[in-house]
Amino acid sequence: MGDDGKTVVERYEGTWKEGKMSGEGKYMYADGSTYEGEWEDSQMHGKGLYIFANGNRYKGDFELDMKHGKGELVYMNGERYVGEWQRDNAEGKGRLEYVSGDIFEGY
């Protein structure tokens, strides 16, 4: 938030191609979340790390601004999912580790 209490401030540090975020870069969102990694046509695309405003962290593949491919999501409560993603959803082979120590592995 800006000094006036109303302005939304977001920032990108990285490379540009034809006026679009492209290549390597870091984006800081107004809500406090950040993405650092590869960009294509101003979208998260390739390998990267997204840290959510609540502290959850996803590291892995992105396509068209979505988690897509292989990646790991670590929740603030200590739970962790490692596996396949399709269009922002955990889908395919994966492993979910609960705080209790229980593990679910499968499809």
Side-chain angles (χ1 to χ4, degrees), residues 58 67-71 81-95 104 106-107:
Y58 172 80
K67 297 180 289 293
H68 191 86
K70 293 186 179 182
Y81 172 79
V82 179
E84 299 173 354
W85 295 83
Q86 297 288 321
R87 292 180 226 93
D88 247 3
N89 295 302
E91 189 173 310
K93 186 175 182 183
R95 176 183 174 105
F104 173 79
Y107 291 87

Side-chain angles (χ1 to χ4, degrees), residues 17-69:
K17 182 178 179 183
E18 298 176 1
K20 295 182 179 182
M21 296 176 283
S22 187
E24 292 288 325
K26 181 176 183 177
Y27 197 96
M28 283 117 331
Y29 296 87
D31 69 357
S33 57
T34 62
Y35 171 77
E36 187 166 4
E38 298 173 331
W39 294 85
E40 185 176 303
D41 290 328
S42 291
Q43 295 183 323
M44 297 177 287
H45 196 89
K47 302 281 186 199
L49 171 65
Y50 189 98
I51 302 174
F52 296 83
N54 67 1
N56 293 346
R57 304 167 64 93
Y58 172 80
K59 183 176 183 179
D61 299 329
F62 289 85
E63 186 174 301
L64 303 173
D65 265 351
M66 293 179 283
K67 297 180 289 293
H68 191 86

